[in-house]
Structure formats: structure tokens, C-alpha cells
Amino acid sequence: MRTLATTVLWTLTILSVFALYAIKTDTRRLEARAKQLDRETHAAGQRVARLRARWGELTRPERIERLAIEHLGYGPLAPGQFAALGDLVGDAPPSTAPKPGARQPRARQQRSAARGERGDRRIRRATSASVLPKQTPASRTQTHIPAAPVSPQQARRPAAPVRAATATGILAEEKAR
Amino acid sequence: MSQPAHRRAENHRLDGLRHRRRTFGLALTIVATFGLLAGQLVRHGLAERPVVTMASARPITHGWARPDILDRRGRVLATDVARPSLFADPALIVDVDEVIAFLAPIFPTIEWRAMRDRLDNRARRFVWIARGLDADVAGRIAALGLPGLAFRDELQRRYPAGALTAHTVGHVDIDNDGKAAAEIFLQEVIGVDPADDARRSARPPVHLTLDLGVQHVVAGELSAAMAATGARAAAGLIMDARTGALLASVSLPSYDPHTPAKPRDASGSGAQSTHAAAPQAQRADGSVNRLALARYELGSVMKPLVIAAALDTGAVTPLARIDTRAALTRDDFTITDPPRVAGKLSLEDVFTRSSNVGAATLALNLGEEKLLAAFSRLGVTGRLLTELGRGPHARLPKPWRDVNTMTAGYGYGVATTPLQLAAATASLINGGHALQPHVVRTSSLPPPRRVLRPETSAELRRYFRANVARGTGVRARVPGYDVGGKTGTALRATAGGYDAERTITSFVGAFPMVAPRYVTLAVLFEPKRPLAADATGSADASTTAAPLTARIVRRAAPMLGIAPRRQRSDG
């Protein structure tokens, strides 16, 4: 009886030694991994901070404004570029309206701008009529239309949109400055 | 020698017993010891790891990890990035001359003679050579493989918007310690963490009320107006008329927050304000925040305050008429209105024609005590503390005589900061509530404190509106936006008098006047030419600051989400 108990105890002791050793090595491994992850998180955090700072520098309003004027022919939003929904419905072009959600071709905006129409006329034309319900009562709700080209001269400039197509081109240009 | 057999047997039994006891004791000790060890292991395994603080004989400089600063839409205005800094351990340097020969071309600005003395001193174990390096520069130095040189990552503050927000966000020193504006507020109120390494702060970012886009519009228009009018400096703001939150706060010229010692824009260099009593305002030009930290006699933009005080205390009624044809004299000082202004004027006329005699008469009717009490209630004679810094105490004439009551009526003698004036004007039009201008977004604004009766405020709104419709402020009109405001052209005070050649022109306004949401202020310092294309002759507020405000509102209002009211007559 005693021999059996001794044997069992010895076995348990040996097993616990092995278990302890296994847990210890495991702990060491996990600690090293945790440390490494911590280092990586830290490094990633630093990288994110650097990128955010860089992003902030690249999206400075004065830079975006300059690029938008140079490459897209945009200008600051003018009060005349706001229109009421009701007006848009009243001025809908009849059958040539594009499909819902389709974007109006740029050339058309430019043509109407070039004709020197009044600002509000330009907006009405540039807005797809079929996206609006036909029977909408003349609403006083204000709607916001994307900025139209600044001037006919800028709008007609052919090279600008092509250059704008490559973001890297803009960056390279920025660097060269 | 012979023992009885039973005795021997007895001894043998006792020996066995002792032996077993010893064995048992030994086993118990071993078990207890191992148990103790196991217990300790478990305890160490479960216990929180204690924070190890490093003690070092090396003189390590302590920096600060600061929370990011964002604008109201989450755009980064200030953030910490880790950058390598180069230091030397003179004890490990083999050849000081070689080190200097290699490093001198990379750092031409370092004073190498003094540096050599420091590097020669082998008792020193730590000498900074250059801090906050670019990664490629650090890589080039590391590639040299010079013994005794090493790098340490340090946090460095970056301001992506640069000079655009410098006067509002502030700047830090080489140890990331806040030195101006919101950065000081961060250091003293919000809290920063000491950092021995380049670990970023875990604190949540600090949101400002500023809108970077609106800030850009205001700064851009002010800067363009400075160039067009030949002004030496400019200041401007857009403030929420109900909360006092600043959406734009601009003082030009500005400076690069990364190199705060150098003024960025030299166009106004040397313009040291004689009025600026705050210590901040005495420094080089670009570092002066003319909006919040310097005080000026602002002239006629103070008249609405006097009119409001007179109405609110009942000194006059809205129907009163004031004769401004006669000259007004106090203490040997006489003022008259020009013929096109003089007449029997209603309060609205006093406002829209900007009659000095009219406003001075109102001030004299009120008397010194009530006038100063009203100024104090509106916050123009106190001292304004904001996150932009500790504003200077307003300056009042001492001793105060009758003539001072008279001149204070049209804005002379009392020097205050443009920001205080804007806050007071907000109270005039927002229903009579005093507000605390602020740039750090907060959830704990003080409860609104009423300083004027709502009827007074409604009456004043009418005057502000009429002034842009047909008074001195017509050039501030923006179709669809219902702008109201007051012009002010003040001569700059010099030692012993006023300089007629140097003026401060300002326009304090609000829009939309039906229910004012935003207060605007535009101030030009010493403009030489009018800004408005249709204006000729002198550069006063109606031809400089008023059209400037129109340009600002035209561009900023759509960004603030205010659509124009449709007017059939608009082009």
C-alpha cells in the first residue's frame, strides 16, 4: 500500500516538474512574443503618426486650393451655386435626361459655362432631372450643387484634367516646386 | 558489557524510532521548502509586473509626450512623431577631429569650436550633437560607423497646418514643452506625460473649435487684403455668436511653429505696437497675436457698445433724437461732426452715420460710472483669459476725466483686445448673453449670463443690419447672406498723441442678421490704399475692412453650412 502511494507521489512530483518546466518555457516564449508585439505596435503607432502628419501636410487647405484651381479648374463656392429643389424640377430638360445616378459629362458644364450663362442657369442644366420626382412641390429646401468651373477660360483649358489624372504627377510637380 | 537481551531489544526499537522521526522531519522540511518555492512561483506568475523605474547616472533629458490637437472635423493640427537625435559619449570617441571632420559638412550650423571642447572632456558621458533629425540624415551618420556616436529616438511636435494655425495652436520647445497658445493650455490644464523615450501619449486627442477650412479662408482673405492695401498687419476671426467658439482666429503676420524664433512673413516687420503692454506683444513682429494678446484703441466699433449701454440703462429710448450739429467740448477738447453726418439724428442714424458727437453725447448722458460699468459687464475693460493665452488688462486713462467719457463714446482712450470687442459685440446681437471666447472644445461651458435686455439686443441687431444696408458698412453686403456690422477707423496712439498717418481699420459684423449665428471681425493695421475697387481716396474702414468682411463671408458661409437666402434681385 505504502509502496503504491510512494510511487504515485513520485510520479506526480516528476510530472509536476515537467509541467512547471513546460509552463515556464511557454511563459518565456509568450513574454518574448508580447514584447515583440508591443514593439511592433509602438513602431506601427509611430508610423501612423508620421503618416497622419504627412497627410495633414499634403491636405493643407492652401495646397488643395491651389491644386484644385490648377488641375481641376475649380474655385471657391459662390452663393450663386446654391439652388432650391423646386427650381431644378421646373427647369428639367425633357427627354435627353441621363439615367438616374449617371453623372453629367463635364464638357456640357464647360459649354454652358463658356456661353456665359448666369450662375443659377448653369446649375440647373448641370443637374440630372430624372433623379428628382416629377411632382415634387416647389420646395424651399436648399440643395448643394458641386462647384462649377471658375471661368470659361479656365474651363476650356484642355491639358488640365489630363494632368490631374495622375496623383503621382501632382506630387512630382509639388516636389519640383 | 553484556546487556540483558530485553534491554538490547529496547535500544534497537528506540533507534528505529529516532531514525524514522529524523527521516520524517527531513521529508517535511523538503516538502515545506518546495511548497514555499512553488507558492512563490505562483505568486510571481499571478502578480502584476511592477513598473521598473530606471535609475541612470547618464544625464538623460526629459521630454513630454503630448496628446494630438485636432480641428473640429478631426484634421490634425499638432502631433508627436518620433525622430532620431544624435548624441556622443566622449569616453568612447577615438578621434575627436575625425568625428568633427565627418559631421561638420552635415551640420554646418553647429558651433564646432564649443562642441570640440565638450567632446574633448572625457569625464562627460553624454553630449547632444543634433536633435530631431530626418531619417535619411540619421542613416548617413550611422553609416559612417564612428565609435562614440549613438542615436536616441525622441518625440518631436509636428504642425501640419504650419503658420496657418500657429497663433492659435502655439508651439513647443526642443523638449516638447508647450510655449504658446493652446500648447500652454495643454501643458497646464489638460495634461501631458513625461517621456523618457519616444512613446506617444496615450491621452485622447484634444479637439479645437477651429475649422481649418474656415481658418484658411479668413487667413487667405486677410493676407490678400494686406497685400492690396499695403497694411502692415491684420487680424480676424469668425466666432459662434451663441457659444463663443472660435471657428477661425487669425493674426498676421504669422510664424512657422517649427522654428518659432523666425517671423515667417516679413511684410510687417518692426511694427512694434506702442499699445501692446502684454509681454508677448513686445517681441518680434510675427510672434504677436494681435487678435487676443495685444490691446488697441479701436475707434468707432466701440460705438454700438455705448449705444447699447444707453438703451439698456434707459438713458435714452429708441425714439430719442440727438442733435449733433453743435460742437461738443469737455476739458478744452472739442469734437464736431462733418456736415454730411451732423443733424438731428435718431439712434439708428448715429449708428449708421457713425456720428462721433452723437456717440459722445450718449456717453456723457450715461456718465462715467454707468459707461464703465457697461464696458465691464460686456467684458471690454477686464482681462480676457482664453486658451490663446493670457490677454493684457485693458488700458483706461488715469485719471479719468470728463473728456475721457466723451472720447470713450467713440472708441478712444480705452484700449482693449480685438477678441474682447468681438465677444462684446456677440453679446449685443445674441439676445444679450455674455460669452467666453474659446478654441478648445469643451462640454462644460459656463451657463449663459444675461448682460443686456433682449429688447436692447433686438434694437441693436436692427442698427447693425441698417448700417450694412445703407450706412458706412454697405461694402460688407453679400447678396443672400444678410450681413450686419459696424466700421471703425482709429488713429494709432503714439507717445503723446495720435498719428494721423497710421490707422487701424476694423469691421465687426455678424450673419445672418435675422438670427445671428456667426460674429466676424476683420482688422487691418495701417492700410495705405482702399481695398474696394470702386473706392477712391482714403483707406478707411468702409473701403478696407468692410469689403474684406464681404469677401470672407462670401467664401466662409457656405463652408459653415449656411445657404444663402434667395433674393430675386441677386445677380
Side-chain angles (χ1 to χ4, degrees):
Chain A
M1 184 63 203
R2 188 183 283 184
T3 332
L4 184 71
T6 316
T7 316
V8 168
L9 277 176
W10 271 112
T11 316
L12 282 178
T13 311
I14 289 164
L15 280 179
S16 67
V17 166
F18 276 111
L20 196 68
Y21 180 74
I23 289 169
K24 191 180 151 198
T25 46
D26 219 30
T27 312
R28 272 195 186 159
R29 198 173 51 75
L30 285 174
E31 267 177 357
R33 175 94 182 112
K35 236 180 224 164
Q36 190 200 345
L37 283 178
D38 192 47
R39 264 201 307 274
E40 283 174 15
T41 315
H42 178 61
Q46 298 288 12
R47 222 166 31 243
V48 167
R50 255 198 302 278
L51 288 173
R52 271 163 59 87
R54 181 84 183 116
W55 173 260
E57 276 158 23
L58 290 176
T59 55
R60 276 192 329 269
E62 65 257 36
R63 181 173 178 273
I64 296 292
E65 184 181 74
R66 186 170 52 73
L67 293 176
I69 291 171
E70 276 181 17
H71 298 276
L72 303 173
Y74 283 178
L77 200 61
Q81 286 171 303
F82 286 83
L85 267 181
D87 292 355
L88 299 172
V89 175
D91 202 39
S95 60
T96 55
K99 290 194 168 59
R103 287 191 60 179
Q104 196 72 6
R106 246 189 91 70
R108 185 163 176 175
Q109 285 183 34
Q110 293 179 358
R111 271 204 307 277
S112 61
R115 276 204 297 274
E117 290 177 0
R118 284 171 34 155
D120 49 352
R121 288 283 298 177
R122 199 153 74 219
I123 291 155
R124 288 169 203 168
R125 284 190 164 264
T127 308
S128 152
S130 56
V131 299
L132 300 167
K134 285 264 187 251
Q135 267 78 42
T136 309
S139 161
R140 296 295 299 166
T141 320
Q142 300 280 353
T143 180
H144 179 192
I145 308 298
V150 198
S151 68
Q153 287 78 23
Q154 275 173 328
R156 267 195 234 109
R157 218 171 44 186
V162 181
R163 271 194 294 149
T166 57
T168 42
I170 295 178
L171 283 177
E173 202 174 294
E174 175 94 339
K175 226 170 196 175
R177 251 166 228 281
Chain B
M1 184 64 214
S2 65
Q3 283 180 342
H6 73 271
R7 192 70 184 268
R8 275 210 303 275
E10 180 60 22
N11 278 351
H12 188 71
R13 198 180 63 81
L14 283 175
D15 271 355
L17 206 66
R18 264 187 232 119
H19 181 70
R20 249 182 303 166
R21 257 189 215 150
R22 238 179 275 138
T23 314
F24 183 71
L26 193 67
L28 204 69
T29 315
I30 289 170
V31 166
T33 312
F34 272 98
L36 212 67
L37 283 175
Q40 280 289 80
L41 268 178
V42 170
R43 196 176 68 84
H44 280 298
L46 294 180
E48 285 278 315
R49 194 179 299 269
V51 180
V52 179
T53 48
M54 187 177 69
S56 169
R58 214 172 56 172
I60 288 179
T61 53
H62 291 273
W64 299 95
R66 316 173 69 81
D68 286 355
I69 300 180
L70 311 179
D71 87 336
R72 67 162 46 211
R73 299 192 188 183
R75 287 172 287 205
V76 180
L77 301 180
T79 187
D80 281 346
V81 295
R83 302 189 84 173
S85 289
L86 177 66
F87 69 91
D89 182 347
L92 299 179
I93 292 180
V94 178
D95 183 350
V96 175
D97 289 326
E98 186 196 21
V99 167
I100 293 177
F102 274 116
L103 293 184
I106 303 176
F107 304 110
T109 55
I110 291 181
E111 181 52 62
W112 286 104
R113 209 178 296 272
M115 183 63 81
R116 175 195 296 276
D117 292 342
R118 287 204 288 279
L119 294 181
D120 272 335
N121 179 5
R122 288 181 175 258
R124 284 178 84 152
R125 299 298 308 267
F126 188 89
V127 175
W128 277 127
I129 292 180
R131 297 172 74 177
L133 302 176
D134 284 333
D136 56 332
V137 174
R140 257 172 38 221
I141 295 166
L144 295 174
L146 295 167
L149 296 186
F151 294 95
R152 241 187 67 155
D153 272 355
E154 281 191 300
L155 288 178
Q156 203 187 39
R157 201 71 162 157
R158 300 301 302 169
Y159 301 96
L164 180 58
T165 55
H167 280 301
T168 311
V169 175
H171 61 265
V172 294
D173 65 5
I174 189 84
D175 291 323
N176 246 10
D177 195 349
K179 289 295 169 203
E183 291 284 22
I184 292 184
F185 185 77
L186 236 70
Q187 195 88 20
E188 293 178 354
V189 180
I190 293 175
V192 295
D193 307 295
D196 283 332
D197 57 2
R199 207 155 274 270
R200 285 164 48 78
S201 170
R203 290 171 188 268
V206 175
H207 280 267
L208 298 193
T209 58
L210 223 59
D211 184 312
L212 196 56
V214 178
Q215 175 86 359
H216 164 64
V217 164
V218 175
E221 290 298 344
L222 283 177
S223 162
M226 267 172 74
T229 62
R232 281 154 67 104
L237 63 77
I238 291 185
M239 178 165 70
D240 190 311
R242 291 171 294 197
T243 63
L246 287 165
L247 287 108
S249 124
V250 180
S251 172
L252 295 177
S254 187
Y255 65 95
D256 183 353
H258 302 110
T259 51
K262 301 176 201 155
R264 178 178 165 268
D265 189 340
S267 67
S269 60
Q272 294 241 334
S273 164
T274 50
H275 305 157
Q280 292 95 325
Q282 299 289 357
R283 288 180 292 157
D285 188 56
S287 63
V288 181
N289 184 348
R290 291 180 165 75
L291 186 68
L293 303 180
R295 56 190 185 176
Y296 307 96
E297 293 176 35
L298 290 165
S300 300
V301 280
M302 298 283 276
K303 282 175 191 163
L305 275 49
V306 177
I307 296 173
L311 274 174
D312 206 60
T313 53
V316 287
T317 67
L319 299 173
R321 296 195 90 80
I322 299 159
D323 193 347
T324 69
R325 285 168 297 192
L328 202 58
T329 304
R330 286 291 184 282
D331 301 328
D332 298 332
F333 186 74
T334 304
I335 56 166
T336 52
D337 271 351
R340 63 187 164 79
V341 172
K344 266 181 96 73
L345 304 180
S346 66
L347 285 185
E348 184 181 313
D349 292 334
V350 170
F351 193 110
T352 57
R353 297 188 192 182
S354 200
S355 158
N356 284 353
V357 174
T361 307
L362 289 175
L364 289 169
N365 277 2
L366 266 174
E368 173 195 339
E369 201 174 309
K370 280 185 182 169
L371 182 71
L372 286 178
F375 277 176
S376 159
R377 251 194 345 269
L378 291 165
V380 285
T381 52
R383 181 186 195 189
L384 184 60
L385 308 180
T386 63
E387 300 93 349
L388 296 172
R390 295 170 209 278
H393 286 284
R395 196 197 53 206
L396 301 175
K398 275 185 192 138
W400 186 285
R401 296 179 299 159
D402 261 5
V403 64
N404 300 120
T405 311
M406 182 174 85
T407 60
Y410 53 95
Y412 279 92
V414 176
T416 187
T417 65
L419 183 59
Q420 278 170 295
L421 174 83
T425 307
S427 304
L428 300 192
I429 52 146
N430 71 3
H433 297 289
L435 41 77
Q436 164 71 31
H438 59 276
V439 290
V440 174
R441 197 163 75 184
T442 168
S443 52
S444 59
L445 279 176
R449 183 167 53 88
R450 191 174 282 287
V451 289
L452 292 174
R453 289 184 291 120
E455 305 81 53
T456 308
S457 177
E459 193 66 15
L460 260 295
R461 278 205 292 278
R462 207 165 61 74
Y463 300 163
F464 272 105
R465 214 169 170 183
N467 192 38
V468 171
R470 55 181 174 279
T472 55
V474 280
R475 290 196 178 86
R477 208 168 76 88
V478 182
Y481 278 116
D482 195 13
V483 181
K486 179 77 188 82
T487 53
T489 309
L491 304 182
R492 283 194 83 152
T494 55
Y498 290 91
D499 186 343
E501 296 297 308
R502 299 162 72 207
T503 58
I504 300 174
T505 65
S506 44
F507 188 89
V508 59
F511 67 95
M513 277 317 290
V514 189
R517 283 190 55 194
Y518 298 105
V519 169
T520 67
L521 174 70
V523 187
L524 285 170
F525 294 84
E526 300 174 34
K528 314 255 179 328
R529 301 175 289 277
L531 176 65
D534 59 332
T536 51
S538 69
D540 60 13
S542 69
T543 59
T544 56
L548 168 58
T549 300
R551 292 180 183 189
I552 291 172
V553 171
R554 191 175 292 122
R555 283 180 65 188
M559 302 174 91
L560 294 166
I562 297 188
R565 205 161 44 84
R566 287 159 51 74
Q567 295 179 342
R568 282 290 152 214
S569 57
D570 292 352

